Amino acid sequence: MLDRRFRWLWASYAVSTFGTFFALDAFRLIAILVLDAGPTQVALLAAAGLAVGAVVAVPLGPWVEFRRKRPVMIAMDLVRFTALLTIPAAYALGLLSFAQLVVVSVVVAAADITFIAASGAFLKSLVQPQDLLVANGRFESTTWTATMLGPPLGGAAIGLFGPVTTVTADALSYLLSALGIRAVGGKEPRPVRDEGPRLRAADLLDGWRYILGHPTLRPLFFNSLLVNGLIMAPAPLLAVLMLGPLGFAPWQYALAFAVPCTGGLIGSRLARPLAARFGRHRTLLTAGVLRACWPIGLAFVGPGTAGLVLVMVVEFGLIICIGVFNPVLATYRLEHTPKERVARTLSAWSITAKATTAAMTAVWGLLAGLTDTRTAIAIAGVLLLATPLLLPRRDHAPQLEPGEAANNPV
């Protein structure tokens, strides 16, 4: 049963997630509207935050492992609050620069990775094993609700109140999240380290070593990296195609991606009953295969109502599959990772995912320049069709903590 402590954690996640999606394109818009940045600078801003933030976060995963997780989560929320608040402060003083945007994006990206590592480990200690899938399903449905509502509301706020409004709201959401996590309460024992307090070089690589040595997590890891990269990398190209040659208005473009997010709510609600009926491994395989089949349709988008409907149908089908896959993957990953390795493993996973997405986004920009926008989108869709080959064909028993019973459906 998910108790009051989980509800505080969930509320904290909800407020910070809504803040993030409310300010989803804020840095890009500030760079363009306030600093007159060109396409190259905007692309650099997007890639630098992910790539450099991932590198900065490498030593933080093992550092988190041997700290109490809730104070780390609160600290990372306060770091993001402080970093983001420097943007409206500098803007008000007329001191805002492109370099500051890059630095803040790096700090926020590194704090994001650290928070994810700590929160995953904290969730595993907070929630009973049989409730993990329910908890992850609630986080997933919250994410898709924020994805659906946040960007349109953020765009309206920017139009009414100016370009730094959503950044201010995002900063405040992290402050509220920190207060909510503090309200979770409870005692958390300090992790014991036998080897001594010093961070060793081997600790930095332990998360990757564990993932790559695990027969089930390894294929899921590579599958997730490629699928996420091949979905995200063509996204800027699709925006260029729809808002440029195809002549869609900005509101139509926003609508095309906001409405299908209802599929995420449906998928996250289906995840638990599907896993209970068919087993988590089979649910992962099926959802993983189906999500790879949809994006190829985006290469055929045309102008007018038919094109808009095509994008909505493709995105709706894709997001339903992702909505099923993600909470089952998150639960599966926690079950197959020992408690003393959760933070390092999640940190390694998140660092690699962000760096891979940044690299693939840059590569697809070059690919579009060498070919054309539609061809680059089509290539990503074709490559996605091969990604189910990386999904694990066999299941393995989860890593159980002392005293746990092996009663989780897999």
Side-chain angles (χ1 to χ4, degrees), residues 30-399:
I30 291 172
I32 295 170
L33 299 177
V34 178
L35 303 176
D36 297 321
T40 301
Q41 286 180 299
V42 173
L44 173 65
L45 178 62
L50 290 175
V52 181
V55 172
V56 170
V58 169
L60 296 178
W63 177 81
V64 169
E65 200 75 77
F66 304 107
R67 300 293 185 279
R68 292 188 178 97
K69 307 305 183 288
R70 194 161 65 96
V72 171
M73 295 161 65
I74 294 172
M76 292 304 105
D77 271 340
L78 295 178
V79 165
R80 291 183 286 190
F81 163 70
T82 304
L84 287 170
L85 209 59
T86 65
I87 300 296
Y91 176 76
L93 295 172
L95 301 175
L96 185 61
S97 67
F98 183 79
Q100 182 181 353
L101 289 181
V102 173
V103 170
V104 171
S105 66
V106 169
V107 171
V108 170
D112 285 344
I113 294 171
T114 308
F115 184 93
I116 289 169
S119 62
F122 184 66
L123 180 66
K124 185 166 182 174
S125 67
L126 181 69
V127 175
Q128 294 296 317
Q130 64 271 19
D131 293 326
L132 272 175
L133 183 54
V134 178
N136 283 312
R138 292 186 182 181
F139 289 141
E140 184 73 10
S141 63
T142 301
T143 298
W144 288 112
T145 303
T147 306
M148 178 172 55
L149 299 178
L153 293 175
I158 288 175
L160 290 172
F161 304 112
V164 300
T165 304
T166 56
V167 176
T168 306
D170 192 18
L172 292 174
S173 76
Y174 288 121
L175 178 61
L176 293 174
S177 174
L179 294 173
I181 293 170
R182 187 177 186 278
V184 170
K187 294 183 179 180
E188 185 182 356
R190 181 182 294 276
V192 177
R193 178 170 185 162
D194 297 332
E195 298 87 349
R198 182 174 297 178
L199 186 65
R200 302 174 305 162
D203 291 331
L204 302 179
L205 302 177
D206 188 67
W208 285 282
R209 187 182 296 112
Y210 181 75
I211 293 170
L212 297 178
H214 195 286
T216 305
L217 292 182
R218 182 176 60 249
L220 284 172
F221 177 64
F222 287 116
N223 173 267
S224 296
L225 292 181
L226 283 178
V227 170
N228 292 340
L230 289 170
I231 289 174
M232 296 303 297
L237 307 182
L238 183 61
V240 171
L241 179 64
M242 292 180 67
L243 296 172
L246 297 182
F248 288 103
W251 70 266
Q252 291 175 308
Y253 173 77
L255 187 69
F257 293 94
V259 172
C261 289
T262 55
L265 300 178
I266 296 171
S268 60
R269 297 285 291 181
L270 289 174
R272 186 189 182 194
L274 287 175
R277 180 171 181 179
F278 300 107
R280 293 179 188 174
H281 182 252
R282 186 178 297 178
T283 302
L284 272 178
L285 283 178
T286 304
V289 170
L290 292 177
R291 67 177 178 163
C293 299
W294 292 94
I296 186 65
L298 296 175
F300 303 99
V301 60
T305 303
L308 192 64
V309 171
L310 175 62
V311 174
M312 287 184 176
V313 169
V314 169
E315 291 293 324
F316 183 76
L318 172 65
I319 290 172
I320 282 184
C321 297
I322 292 174
V324 173
F325 186 90
N326 282 356
V328 180
L329 171 64
T331 303
Y332 202 87
R333 187 171 53 195
L334 286 176
E335 289 177 344
H336 285 73
T337 306
K339 185 181 294 184
E340 67 274 9
R341 276 197 168 102
V342 169
R344 279 174 286 183
T345 301
L346 295 185
S347 180
W349 196 297
S350 185
I351 286 169
T352 312
K354 288 182 180 292
T356 301
T357 298
M360 293 183 71
T361 300
V363 169
W364 250 257
L366 294 174
L367 183 61
L370 294 174
T371 57
D372 59 70
T373 302
R374 194 182 293 272
T375 299
I377 294 171
I379 291 172
V382 171
L383 291 176
L384 270 166
L385 295 175
T387 57
L389 296 174
L390 293 173
L391 290 169
R393 295 295 181 267
R394 293 185 177 183
D395 190 21
H396 293 79
Q399 295 283 342

